[in-house]
Amino acid sequence: MRSEGILIVVSGFSGAGKGTLMKRLVEKYDNYALSISATTRTPRQGEEEGREYFFLSREQFEKRIADRALIEYAEYCGNYYGTPRDYVEKELSCGRDVILEIEIQGALKIKEQYPEAVLLFVTTPSAGELRRRLSGRGTETAEVIEKRLGRAVKEAEGIERYDYIVINDDLETCVEELHGIITAAHHTPGRNGEFIQTMRRELEGDQIEN
Amino acid sequence: MRSEGILIVVSGFSGAGKGTLMKRLVEKYDNYALSISATTRTPRQGEEEGREYFFLSREQFEKRIADRALIEYAEYCGNYYGTPRDYVEKELSCGRDVILEIEIQGALKIKEQYPEAVLLFVTTPSAGELRRRLSGRGTETAEVIEKRLGRAVKEAEGIERYDYIVINDDLETCVEELHGIITAAHHTPGRNGEFIQTMRRELEGDQIEN
């Protein structure tokens, strides 16, 4: 009962572990395709073209905007970030569930264009735990941590706009929850129109024959 | 992340195996409570008061209707059938997921009163399989089978009113799908209001402190 692919948008607090979750989900189940964003920022050490991002010049990026080749884009700190349309639509049409990791403004833009998209919000079990994880990385300054917590306050305002909320306490449990939610979404009547029509035709045929 | 119980309404074609599915689901997981209907029909051999049904006189049943002690009721072939409100609400408030097996008219009445109820439709993989299962029971006359198939045509018209559709091909697989769908439903923001509010308060507290 897997027909069309589902577009899955994942947002959540910075530090909630979205990246690790998505990586594990894609590793564990083969029905997922992870969307790769395009960006104009310069690659960081170890980042590879087409793996972390598609790295574009500002000119190339603006051409994509003009061509409507991005389903959403935004500008942060002077750099563009966006979602290439071709990859998403190709994978969906092959019946794969496409995952986008994106913040709330982008998520809502996606929902406008793809009303059947499933929006997931990932959170830590508590605010204290979020702070611990942000501090625990040891790579961020106190200032950056405060900035992220400040952004979390903003992000928390939008939680009700999401279809589902998942708590990332234990990684494997959370991966199973995400997979369960997406599997359930495949069972809506809207995503099984063909099966329902066939069933109706057959039942009516059965009636006429007998 | 299990707070309030969910009211689950299960409908589906006669012969799709709803009864067996529900029994197995309740046996396998302890978060479910199976609602027992009240009826004015006489008990069949082997049926026990309070197990299959609560058997009431017509007078007793009509008193319950007048007292609004039933969340829905209907009359079939001269007998009343209805869902006692007290049991459903008690179990929901204890955080258990309450399952009602009921036909579409009743299902829609429930959704009006409990908009958060989850409506599930159970079907066989095909119309042919439905006919085989109805015939295979060996206990029904050809006339009864035709009548049930005729009713299935009507029931199939309403599938889009349901939240989810599940195909009962293999019993255990289908039980897992049902359980997965209900588990997913526990993750909507609407069912996690308390968690979200606490998270917001804590995040804002964190902001003020620092």
Side-chain angles (χ1 to χ4, degrees):
Chain A
M1 203 195 208
R2 293 190 76 88
S3 36
E4 308 111 66
I6 298 178
L7 186 54
I8 300 143
V9 181
V10 178
S11 306
F13 303 130
S14 165
K18 296 185 295 293
T20 315
L21 275 172
M22 300 304 98
K23 217 183 124 200
R24 184 76 187 113
L25 187 66
V26 171
E27 212 172 74
K28 203 163 173 182
Y29 298 99
D30 59 8
N31 58 297
Y32 298 109
L34 209 52
S35 163
I36 298 156
S37 298
T39 183
T40 57
R41 84 155 163 71
T42 37
R44 292 185 192 145
Q45 186 145 26
E47 285 183 342
E48 260 178 45
E49 164 70 16
R51 193 180 65 187
E52 280 78 13
Y53 286 99
F54 295 110
F55 296 98
L56 303 178
S57 70
R58 217 167 159 84
E59 200 181 6
Q60 288 171 319
F61 200 102
E62 285 171 351
K63 169 103 172 60
R64 305 253 172 138
I65 298 173
D67 292 346
R68 302 181 54 80
L70 302 168
I71 52 180
E72 62 77 39
Y73 70 94
E75 205 170 350
Y76 296 107
C77 313
N79 286 310
Y80 281 126
Y81 295 83
T83 305
R85 187 185 304 277
D86 51 0
Y87 177 81
V88 169
E89 301 212 328
K90 192 193 73 198
E91 293 291 324
L92 286 178
S93 71
C94 294
R96 300 187 83 196
D97 298 326
V98 181
I99 307 176
L100 308 181
E101 193 193 318
I102 214 170
E103 45 56 74
I104 183 159
Q105 297 309 326
L108 299 179
K109 277 185 216 165
I110 302 269
K111 190 81 175 178
E112 271 171 35
Q113 290 176 72
Y114 300 87
E116 291 280 308
V118 172
L119 271 49
L120 303 172
F121 192 92
V122 180
T123 171
T124 47
S126 69
E129 176 60 22
L130 184 64
R131 167 174 285 274
R132 269 189 296 279
R133 289 194 201 167
L134 287 172
S135 312
R137 284 179 177 177
T139 53
E140 317 287 4
T141 62
E143 197 192 344
V144 168
I145 294 169
E146 289 317 310
K147 216 169 141 185
R148 291 211 164 134
L149 283 171
R151 209 168 71 197
V153 173
K154 280 276 162 211
E155 286 164 340
E157 284 170 17
I159 298 184
E160 278 89 351
R161 311 290 293 267
Y162 286 79
D163 298 305
Y164 298 100
I165 172 170
V166 281
I167 299 175
N168 185 12
D169 193 359
D170 171 69
L171 178 72
E172 290 301 322
T173 308
C174 193
V175 165
E176 285 312 301
E177 285 177 353
L178 286 170
H179 183 65
I181 288 168
I182 297 159
T183 305
H186 276 280
H187 287 270
T188 59
R191 292 194 187 91
N192 292 280
E194 209 173 307
F195 172 83
I196 296 169
Q197 293 313 322
T198 306
M199 191 71 178
R200 280 187 186 138
R201 258 199 318 275
E202 287 177 3
L203 281 171
E204 280 158 22
D206 243 17
Q207 274 286 291
I208 296 157
E209 280 165 38
N210 297 279
Chain B
M1 206 197 210
R2 293 189 78 88
S3 36
E4 306 112 69
I6 297 179
L7 186 53
I8 301 143
V9 180
V10 178
S11 306
F13 303 130
S14 165
K18 297 185 294 292
T20 314
L21 275 171
M22 299 307 98
K23 217 183 125 197
R24 185 74 187 113
L25 188 67
V26 171
E27 211 171 74
K28 204 162 172 183
Y29 298 100
D30 59 8
N31 57 298
Y32 297 110
L34 208 51
S35 162
I36 297 156
S37 297
T39 183
T40 56
R41 84 153 163 72
T42 37
R44 290 182 193 144
Q45 187 145 24
E47 285 184 345
E48 261 178 44
E49 163 71 15
R51 193 180 65 186
E52 281 78 14
Y53 286 99
F54 295 109
F55 295 99
L56 302 179
S57 71
R58 221 172 155 80
E59 199 183 4
Q60 288 171 320
F61 200 102
E62 287 172 350
K63 169 103 172 61
R64 306 251 171 139
I65 299 173
D67 292 348
R68 303 181 52 81
L70 303 168
I71 52 180
E72 62 78 40
Y73 70 94
E75 205 170 351
Y76 295 108
C77 314
N79 286 310
Y80 281 127
Y81 295 82
T83 305
R85 186 184 304 276
D86 51 359
Y87 177 81
V88 169
E89 303 213 326
K90 192 192 74 199
E91 293 292 324
L92 286 177
S93 71
C94 294
R96 302 186 82 194
D97 297 325
V98 180
I99 307 176
L100 306 182
E101 192 193 320
I102 214 169
E103 44 58 72
I104 183 162
Q105 296 311 326
L108 300 178
K109 277 185 217 165
I110 302 268
K111 191 81 174 179
E112 272 172 33
Q113 290 176 69
Y114 300 87
E116 291 280 309
V118 172
L119 270 50
L120 303 172
F121 192 91
V122 180
T123 172
T124 48
S126 69
E129 176 61 20
L130 184 63
R131 169 174 283 278
R132 269 189 296 281
R133 287 194 204 168
L134 286 172
S135 313
R137 282 182 180 176
T139 53
E140 317 287 4
T141 63
E143 198 194 341
V144 169
I145 295 169
E146 289 318 310
K147 216 169 140 185
R148 291 211 166 135
L149 283 170
R151 209 168 72 197
V153 174
K154 280 277 163 209
E155 286 166 341
E157 286 171 15
I159 298 183
E160 278 89 353
R161 311 290 295 269
Y162 287 78
D163 298 306
Y164 299 99
I165 173 171
V166 282
I167 299 176
N168 185 11
D169 192 358
D170 171 68
L171 178 72
E172 290 301 323
T173 307
C174 192
V175 164
E176 285 312 301
E177 284 176 355
L178 286 170
H179 183 64
I181 289 167
I182 298 160
T183 305
H186 275 280
H187 287 270
T188 59
R191 292 195 187 90
N192 293 280
E194 208 173 309
F195 173 84
I196 296 169
Q197 292 315 321
T198 306
M199 192 71 177
R200 280 186 186 138
R201 256 197 322 272
E202 287 178 3
L203 281 170
E204 280 158 22
D206 242 17
Q207 273 288 288
I208 297 158
E209 279 166 37
N210 298 280

